[in-house]
């Protein structure tokens, strides 16, 4: 299957398909390809007459097909892009009473002078549909799959390298832990970070702490470390900082990270061959020592209890059976986890 980079390379070389279906759970690559088509295939002069951008909520499949049937004016190609195509009414996927389906009729014999693009995000298009099969036969289908958490540090390193920068393994692992697996969010943060660093320089932990809003001493990773050591004083210091800076440290993010951490501690308890623990857990080997230490301090029964507490306080933070402020909830939860 062609990668996003393969598709963009072909587009740069003016090798076009008459229909593109860009679909999948990870929107980053769908946006990457769709934006390249929107901004680079036609000149500014050609776009006025030959580029149509539609939005799924405001259109239907026949509107898109009718636009695609037009011929370009003073250009070799016209471009029709349907953004948020997952919200579009796709209509029938079979023939009508007269034995005709105008959508399939076009997709099975598309105009070579039209580049029709469907950006179908946050889910997979139904591969059983005739529409899918027609596009697959006469156009190009790209599925953008979500990356597993353990693949994110490598993705960050590749992204940084492509921009002519370097990044330490510890820094890429920390970014992955902090930002999650939303590639658009990660790319945005990396782009902002690189504005403050000379090209070719290695991005360090300090650079990330200084530029992405992660406090050197008071962040969710330091909280995890303090909980592993059962350092009540340090835990309370961090919680007080979080309470004073709620926008930088929202309780939902903190609880989500802690739940992810203790879920991996739980999984670590069940790994039989500890030498393969990093691969089994899907974590960067740099962080494996944290899970090893946590497993020593929190036995299996306690980890189950901690995860139960985290789920309970996640509901409370959303107002379920609780009127306590977020700072108070965090202090209660930390006490229960440590004790």
């Amino acid at each position: 299957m062609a990668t996003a980079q393969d598709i963009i390379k072909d587009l740069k070389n003016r090798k076009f398909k008459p229909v593109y279906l860009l679909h999948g759970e990870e929107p980053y690559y769908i946006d990457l390809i769709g934006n390249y088509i929107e901004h680079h295939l036609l000149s500014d002069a050609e776009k006025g007459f030959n580029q149509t951008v539609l939005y799924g909520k405001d259109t239907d499949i026949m509107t898109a097909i009718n636009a695609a049937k037009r011929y370009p004016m003073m250009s070799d190609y016209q471009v029709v892009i349907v953004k948020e195509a997952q919200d579009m009414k796709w209509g029938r996927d079979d023939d009508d009473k007269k034995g005709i389906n105008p959508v399939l009729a076009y997709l099975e014999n598309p105009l070579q002078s039209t580049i029709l693009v469907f950006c179908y995000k946050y889910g997979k298009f139904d591969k059983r549909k005739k529409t899918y099969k027609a596009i697959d036969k006469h156009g190009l289908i790209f599925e953008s799959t979500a990356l597993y958490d353990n693949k994110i540090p490598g993705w960050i390193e590749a992204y940084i390298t492509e921009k002519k920068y370097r990044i330490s393994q510890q820094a890429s692992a920390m970014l992955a832990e902090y930002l999650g697996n939303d590639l658009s969010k990660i790319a945005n943060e990396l782009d902002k970070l690189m504005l403050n660093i000379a090209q070719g320089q290695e991005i360090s932990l300090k650079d990330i702490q200084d530029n992405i809003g992660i406090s050197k001493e008071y962040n969710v990773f330091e909280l995890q470390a303090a909980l592993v050591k059962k350092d009540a004083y340090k835990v309370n210091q961090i919680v007080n900082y979080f309470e004073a800076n709620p926008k930088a440290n929202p309780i939902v993010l903190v609880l989500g990270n802690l739940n992810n951490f203790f879920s991996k501690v739980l999984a670590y308890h069940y790994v039989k061959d500890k030498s393969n623990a990093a691969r089994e857990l899907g974590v960067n080997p740099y962080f494996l020592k944290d899970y090893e230490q946590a497993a020593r301090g929190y036995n299996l029964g306690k980890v189950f209890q901690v995860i139960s507490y985290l789920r309970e306080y996640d509901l409370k933070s959303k107002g379920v059976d609780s009127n306590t402020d977020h700072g108070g909830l965090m202090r209660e939860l930390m006490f229960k986890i440590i004790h």
Side-chain angles (χ1 to χ4, degrees), residues 316-335:
K316 286 185 175 182
S317 72
K318 295 167 183 171
V320 179
D321 299 326
S322 174
N323 294 316
T324 309
D325 63 274
H326 286 180
L329 288 175
M330 284 292 291
R331 276 185 282 275
E332 286 180 14
L333 173 61
M334 295 304 108
F335 181 87

Side-chain angles (χ1 to χ4, degrees), residues 14 16 41-43 46 50 70-79 111-115:
R14 311 295 288 176
F16 305 140
L41 263 58
L42 301 180
S43 69
E46 290 173 323
N50 298 293
R70 295 196 296 262
Y71 288 93
M73 294 178 62
M74 295 176 288
S75 174
D76 292 332
Y77 297 96
Q78 73 145 338
V79 174
L111 284 180
Q112 297 301 308
S113 58
T114 292
I115 300 164

Side-chain angles (χ1 to χ4, degrees), residues 11 39 63 102 169 187 252 258 268 333 336:
L11 292 171
H39 296 293
T63 300
Q169 187 180 49
V252 174
L258 290 178
Y268 182 86
L333 173 61
K336 290 182 177 182

